[in-house]
Amino acid sequence: MAVEQEVVRLREQIVTLFKNIERLDDSLEKHIDDDQSAFAEVRRAMDAISDRYAHHLPPWAVAIISLLTAAVAWFARG
């Protein structure tokens, strides 16, 4: 009788274990999907920033143009 109860208890534990494994698998899949969507959102934001600044001059070019403009103005005045 005690052996049968132990077998029933072990079977219940096995069923519970498999249910927990299925729940963990579902949670993992959801987590992976959430990570992929978050990464895609970050990538879209980075692409938007990149597109926004694609046609801007680099800072060194702006500095050179400013210096040349100032030099031309200084020479034109003098």
Side-chain angles (χ1 to χ4, degrees):
M1 188 84 160
V3 174
E4 290 176 8
Q5 289 176 349
E6 186 69 21
V7 169
V8 169
R9 188 180 64 79
L10 288 173
R11 283 185 181 166
E12 289 174 356
Q13 287 179 351
I14 290 171
V15 168
T16 303
L17 178 66
F18 279 112
K19 286 180 183 177
N20 288 340
I21 289 172
E22 288 175 8
R23 221 175 61 230
L24 286 172
D25 284 342
D26 292 341
S27 295
L28 178 62
E29 288 176 16
K30 183 182 179 303
H31 179 70
I32 289 171
D33 291 342
D34 290 345
D35 280 352
Q36 287 175 346
S37 65
F39 181 75
E41 183 178 330
V42 168
R43 183 69 180 163
R44 281 191 298 274
M46 288 176 58
D47 288 343
I49 291 169
S50 176
D51 290 344
R52 193 175 338 143
Y53 290 108
H55 301 295
H56 289 257
L57 289 174
W60 60 267
V62 173
I64 289 175
I65 291 170
S66 298
L67 289 173
L68 290 174
T69 304
V72 168
W74 187 71
F75 284 124
R77 204 173 28 139

